[in-house]
Every structure is written in structure tokens, then in C-alpha cells.
């Protein structure tokens, strides 16, 4: 695989062992997707596979569909916005212009990575840098309100100096969640913590056996998080005491990210590097159903990586999820029956709203699919070569940008890229309406609350778009 630039992005591919996913040296773990391998002499390639592409339905082309009107969103307390990780259409950022940016700590590098999407609650935006330092910022101005370093004692981030007797460990990842006035933090330094959201004071810290690379979900007095060993861990939210666990199949090759579980009416849905989408009772972990989302192909060895790195989304009784192994699926929440599938490979989260569901693949294709059937209304290639001009000496090349999970705000689909760009796409037509430069590599999911879109970049900048 060909490495991307040094300030690598969160959503690219990492094919490493689980041992490398721990607090060991991790050299540039985020890399771009390689081109599909060619068949060797004498090797047959299925014509069905070659023709299995994302195509707009002839019956839906140009047809209208229902979208809920934009509505205000006061807070965004979880990485996915809500417990079901679905938010329909937010009233935010009508002008789509950068209002301000604030640097909040250690940026991504060869041994540390910013992986926590921002969250917002009570007029504060909470972020975490590449070195496990959490900070709170005023949602209107971006001014820092408090800052708490959760890096364990005697651990230094490589490149920041190494004191006597202080071992040099590498760790990264984690995320944030807010509930009942408390901030919950997970970290690649193998910990779960509860902080006071007003002061940053640490109330409790519980150590874990494996690193945690994504945000927790907090519901009904429990903290839920998936570690890099594909184990779902739960903790008492008040004390940090461990509760029940669920061990999924472990995978030696996986992404160096993990997914936050979704919760709806006592049912928890989690996804794993094995490609398993699992529903269980949220109170005791009893498994309700298990649906693998994967299909291998002879044309792409990376389809063997089955990881569902994006968050599963629960919407109107269905679960939407995307795996790296070329499967986007709509699964019935109650029975686990797959209603439809699409050949889309990604590590992003889908966005259902009204009659449709939006998604972005690793190749930069944005799709709008009918929620009931999976048929496509439109497909937009964000990496397509721009139109040639008279000044071009050579034909414009296709972009290799990697794009974040989308959000829907003011009837526009918003996504950001590792190329330092944010785009606003007309949700009805797929036409790109606005492109703005945000200046930094950014691939963590934006959030939208209080009329503002917030983006966290790999340079550890918090960017407000209004």
C-alpha cells in the first residue's frame, strides 16, 4: 500500500495485527486504499463481480423523495449524536463559512493520532487530542474552558521528550460521550474515565486490558465500548465498575479504529472487525441475532478485511451499516433479517433520513438510496477529475481524497476530507453546491448543534462552520 502524507487521516486503511494495535510502535497506520489487484495468468474473474457496480435506478432517476425539514439540534452528546446514532436533518450552518478555529493540543503524527470526534452539550464543545488530553471549549467562541491530561503517569508521547525512568509507549485513539452532567472518555492508553463536565475533574478511571479506539456510548447507567480485541465492555456509569462483556470473533487483520454501539429500547447493536453486526440485550448482553456483513472477491484481497469501522445506525426499526468487505446493508432490528444490500466498501457511517439513506464509500462515491429497497436515486463521485480549463497543460487527474461520514444539515449533505476541504451536496440531486477550504486534513465525522457545524482536524484544530 502507498502511504498518504505524514499527517495521515483517520478513515484510511490499516492492515495490521492486533498486537500492533496495542500501545506499541505504530508507524503511519492510516493508509489509502490500493488499486484492486489484477488477475494472474489463468485466473478467472467473475463477470458478475465486475458488473456489480453502484448504478442509479432507471425508475428512480430524477424522482423526488421525502426529507424531514431541518430542525434545531441543541446538543450532540454522543459521537453519533443520539443513542440510535441517527439524526435526521439539522438546522445548521446556512452560510457554510468558517467562523473560527482553535488549536487544542497534540496533533497527529507518526506515533499519535487524533481519532475522537467532537461532542457538544450544555454550551460546551469537548475534544481530545492525540495525547489523551481532553479539553472543553465555549461553543460560541471556541475559547478553552478547562483542560485535563489523561495520559497515564510515566508515559510519554514519542517526539515530546523522554525523561529518566519514563518508558516510551505509543498509544492513540478513543472518544467522548456526555450524560447527566458527566463526561465519559475512552483512550488507547487502555482506560475508561468519568470527568466532571464543568471542571474537568477526574471522578474515576478504570483500566482495560486492550486499547480503546473509539467513543463510548452511555445509556441507562451503563458505559458501552468496543476494544481492539473485538470485545464489547460495559461499566457502571457512576462507579466505573466492570459489568457484562461480549466477545466477538477476533481478526488478525483489522482497522485501527473501532465503532461505537447504538442503543434503542433495550436493544444494543455493535459492530466488530470480524464483520459481525450483533444485536443483544443492553441490560445483560444476551445475544439476539448476529449478521455477518462481508463478501470476498478474487479481484481485491482487501475485501478479506471485514471490519465494520463506521457506527451502526438504528432508524425506524432498521439497522444500517457499512463494512470494508463491500457490503452496505439494511437489517431488521427485531429479527436480524437483511432487507437489502449494496456493493459499497467503506469505513464510514450511513445517514438515513426520511425516505432515503446516504453513504460514502472509500472510493469517494456518495450515494442516495431508497430506504425501503436500496435502489439508488443518485451517485456523486467526489473524487472525479475537475473540468479541464485552457490553462491545463495535462488533463486533470482523479483525486485520491478520503471523505468522512456525512451529516445532513439544511437539506445539504456535509462531508470533509483529508485534503482540507468541506463540501455541501444538494441532498435531493447530488449536485455539489459549495466547496470550502478548511486548511487542515479532516476526516472525523462533523457534528451539528446550536446552528453550527464543528469539525476536528488531524492538526488538532477545532473548526466552527456557520
Amino acid at each position: 500500500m502507498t502511504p498518504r502524507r505524514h499527517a495521515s487521516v483517520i478513515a484510511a486503511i490499516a492492515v495490521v495485527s492486533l498486537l500492533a494495535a496495542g500501545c506499541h510502535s505504530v508507524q503511519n497506520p492510516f493508509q489509502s486504499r490500493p488499486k484492486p489487484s489484477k488477475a494472474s495468468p489463468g485466473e478467472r474473474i467473475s463477470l458478475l463481480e465486475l458488473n456489480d457496480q453502484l448504478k442509479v435506478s432507471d425508475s428512480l432517476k430524477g424522482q423526488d423523495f421525502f426529507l424531514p425539514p431541518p430542525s434545531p439540534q441543541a446538543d450532540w452528546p454522543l459521537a453519533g449524536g443520539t443513542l440510535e446514532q441517527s439524526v435526521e436533518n439539522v438546522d445548521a450552518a446556512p452560510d457554510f463559512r468558517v467562523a473560527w478555529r482553535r488549536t487544542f493540543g497534540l496533533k497527529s503524527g507518526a506515533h499519535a493520532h487524533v481519532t475522537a470526534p467532537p461532542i457538544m452539550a450544555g454550551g460546551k464543545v469537548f475534544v481530545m487530542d492525540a495525547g489523551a488530553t481532553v479539553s472543553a471549549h465555549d461553543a460560541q467562541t471556541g475559547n478553552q474552558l478547562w483542560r485535563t491530561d489523561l495520559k497515564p503517569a510515566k508515559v510519554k508521547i514519542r517526539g515530546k521528550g523522554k525523561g529518566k525512568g519514563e518508558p516510551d509507549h505509543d498509544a492513540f485513539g478513543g472518544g467522548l460521550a456526555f450524560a447527566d452532567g458527566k463526561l465519559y472518555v475512552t483512550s488507547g492508553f487502555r482506560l475508561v474515565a468519568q470527568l466532571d463536565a464543568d471542571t474537568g475533574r477526574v471522578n474515576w478511571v478504570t483500566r482495560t486490558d486492550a486499547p480503546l479506539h473509539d467513543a463510548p456510548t452511555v445509556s441507562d447507567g451503563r458505559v458501552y465500548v468496543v476494544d481492539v480485541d473485538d470485545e464489547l465492555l460495559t461499566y457502571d456509569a457512576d462507579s466505573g465498575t466492570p459489568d457484562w462483556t461480549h466477545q466477538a470473533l477476533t481478526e488478525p487483520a483489522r482497522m485501527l479504529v473501532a465503532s461505537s454501539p447504538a442503543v434503542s429500547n433495550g436493544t444494543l447493536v455493535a459492530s466488530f472487525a470480524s464483520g459481525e453486526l450483533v444485536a443483544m440485550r443492553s441490560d445483560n448482553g444476551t445475544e439476539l441475532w448476529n449478521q455477518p456483513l462481508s463478501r470476498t472477491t478474487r479481484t481485491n484481497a482487501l475485501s478479506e478485511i471485514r471490519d465494520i469501522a463506521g457506527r451502526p445506525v438504528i432508524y425506524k426499526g432498521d439497522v444500517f451499516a457499512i463494512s470494508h468487505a463491500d457490503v452496505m446493508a439494511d437489517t431488521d432490528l427485531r429479527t436480524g433479517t437483511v432487507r437489502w444490500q449494496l456493493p459499497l466498501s467503506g469505513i464510514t457511517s450511513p445517514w438515513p433520513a426520511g425516505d432515503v439513506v446516504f453513504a460514502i464509500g472509500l472510493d469517494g462515491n456518495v450515494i442516495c438510496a431508497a430506504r425501503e429497497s436500496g435502489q439508488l436515486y443518485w451517485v456523486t463521485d467526489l473524487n472525479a477529475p475537475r473540468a479541464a480549463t485552457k490553462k491545463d497543460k495535462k488533463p486533470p487527474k482523479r483525486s485520491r481524497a478520503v471523505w468522512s461520514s456525512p451529516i445532513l444539515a439544511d437539506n445539504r449533505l456535509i462531508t470533509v476530507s483529508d485534503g482540507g476541504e468541506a463540501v455541501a451536496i444538494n441532498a435531493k440531486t447530488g449536485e455539489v453546491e459549495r466547496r470550502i477550504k478548511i486548511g487542515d486534513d479532516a476526516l472525523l465525522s462533523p457534528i451539528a448543534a446550536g446552528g453550527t457545524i464543528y469539525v476536528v482536524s488531524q492538526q488538532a484544530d477545532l473548526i466552527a462552520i456557520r
Side-chain angles (χ1 to χ4, degrees):
M1 285 183 281
T2 303
R4 299 300 299 267
R5 51 186 169 278
H6 178 70
S8 53
V9 298
I10 184 59
I13 298 174
V15 186
V16 295
S17 70
L18 288 173
L19 289 176
C23 294
H24 301 284
S25 179
V26 181
Q27 294 285 347
N28 193 22
F30 305 120
Q31 297 179 340
S32 62
R33 190 186 192 191
K35 295 179 180 179
S37 56
K38 294 182 179 179
S40 59
E43 181 180 359
R44 295 187 178 187
I45 299 176
S46 169
L47 292 177
L48 292 177
E49 289 180 318
L50 292 177
N51 291 327
D52 195 5
Q53 300 174 351
L54 295 171
K55 295 181 179 179
V56 175
S57 168
D58 290 336
S59 62
L60 296 183
K61 186 181 298 184
Q63 297 298 309
D64 194 15
F65 51 82
F66 170 73
L67 279 180
S71 60
Q73 183 84 8
D75 294 320
W76 196 284
L78 301 169
T82 67
L83 287 173
E84 294 187 333
Q85 305 194 137
S86 64
V87 182
E88 292 185 313
N89 192 357
V90 186
D91 184 4
D95 294 334
F96 202 60
R97 299 181 186 278
V98 175
W100 48 257
R101 71 177 64 234
R102 301 286 184 267
T103 299
F104 57 85
L106 181 67
K107 66 182 181 180
S108 293
H111 302 276
H113 306 277
V114 179
T115 68
I119 62 171
M120 177 182 166
K124 303 181 186 69
V125 179
F126 303 94
V127 292
M128 183 166 66
D129 72 2
T133 295
V134 180
S135 56
H137 300 258
D138 183 272
Q140 290 299 314
T141 65
N143 293 335
Q144 182 178 296
L145 303 175
W146 55 256
R147 181 179 176 86
T148 300
D149 187 356
L150 289 177
K151 191 165 63 266
K154 296 185 178 180
V155 174
K156 288 286 186 179
I157 296 294
R158 194 187 299 268
K160 299 298 287 183
K162 182 178 179 182
K164 185 177 180 180
E166 294 179 330
D168 193 357
H169 295 306
D170 296 312
F172 66 92
L176 309 166
F178 175 92
D180 301 322
K182 302 296 189 296
L183 187 67
Y184 296 87
V185 185
T186 56
S187 169
F189 285 103
R190 304 171 189 252
L191 63 84
V192 181
Q194 185 202 76
L195 278 61
D196 185 282
D198 291 327
T199 65
R201 182 186 71 249
V202 178
N203 295 327
W204 56 255
V205 175
T206 299
R207 303 297 177 186
T208 61
D209 293 332
L212 306 172
H213 281 169
D214 211 337
T217 299
V218 184
S219 173
D220 295 328
R222 283 188 181 87
V223 181
Y224 304 92
V225 65
V226 177
D227 69 17
V228 299
D229 286 339
D230 286 308
E231 186 173 18
L232 173 66
L233 310 172
T234 68
Y235 301 89
D236 180 83
D238 291 332
S239 65
T241 303
D243 200 350
W244 61 265
T245 64
H246 174 89
Q247 180 64 63
L249 297 173
T250 58
E251 286 287 325
R254 59 163 299 147
M255 316 297 293
L256 285 186
V257 291
S259 173
S260 304
V263 180
S264 177
N265 296 323
T267 298
L268 179 142
V269 179
S271 59
F272 300 94
S274 58
E276 294 175 277
L277 189 66
V278 183
M280 59 198 84
R281 287 184 53 178
S282 61
D283 58 351
N284 58 22
T286 299
E287 186 171 307
L288 303 175
W289 52 260
N290 184 320
Q291 184 63 246
L293 303 186
S294 65
R295 64 171 194 164
T296 58
T297 72
R298 299 294 297 275
T299 58
N300 183 8
L302 284 180
S303 66
E304 294 289 349
I305 302 176
R306 303 172 179 87
D307 210 332
I308 306 174
R311 293 180 295 273
V313 177
I314 302 173
Y315 185 74
K316 296 187 182 300
D318 286 345
V319 182
F320 298 91
I322 306 170
S323 83
H324 184 270
D326 295 311
V327 176
M328 174 181 172
D330 172 13
T331 306
D332 185 273
L333 175 63
R334 186 178 61 85
T335 65
T337 302
V338 175
R339 302 181 63 221
W340 53 258
Q341 290 186 350
L342 288 172
L344 182 72
S345 178
I347 51 176
T348 55
S349 303
W351 188 282
D355 289 342
V356 296
V357 55
F358 303 99
I360 299 180
L362 279 170
D363 56 4
N365 275 322
V366 186
I367 67 168
C368 174
R371 188 166 55 84
E372 291 297 324
S373 66
Q375 293 181 300
L376 301 187
Y377 281 96
W378 54 257
V379 178
T380 296
D381 186 356
L382 292 178
N383 289 338
R386 61 175 174 80
T389 66
K390 294 181 179 180
K391 295 182 179 180
D392 291 323
K393 295 181 180 180
K394 296 181 179 180
K397 295 182 179 180
R398 175 179 174 81
S399 169
R400 297 186 62 199
V402 184
W403 298 85
S404 74
S405 300
I407 64 172
L408 185 62
D410 274 9
N411 298 316
R412 297 174 299 183
L413 209 62
I414 310 298
T415 179
V416 297
S417 79
D418 65 329
E421 192 174 38
V423 301
I425 305 166
N426 186 303
K428 288 295 186 76
T429 66
E431 178 185 359
V432 176
E433 294 185 342
R434 290 285 307 277
R435 292 180 181 263
I436 59 173
K437 292 291 185 181
I438 55 177
D440 291 344
D441 294 354
L443 204 62
L444 298 175
S445 304
I447 69 170
T452 303
I453 293 173
Y454 297 97
V455 177
V456 160
S457 77
Q458 293 300 292
Q459 282 69 39
D461 282 343
L462 174 62
I463 303 165
I465 299 174
R466 292 191 177 128

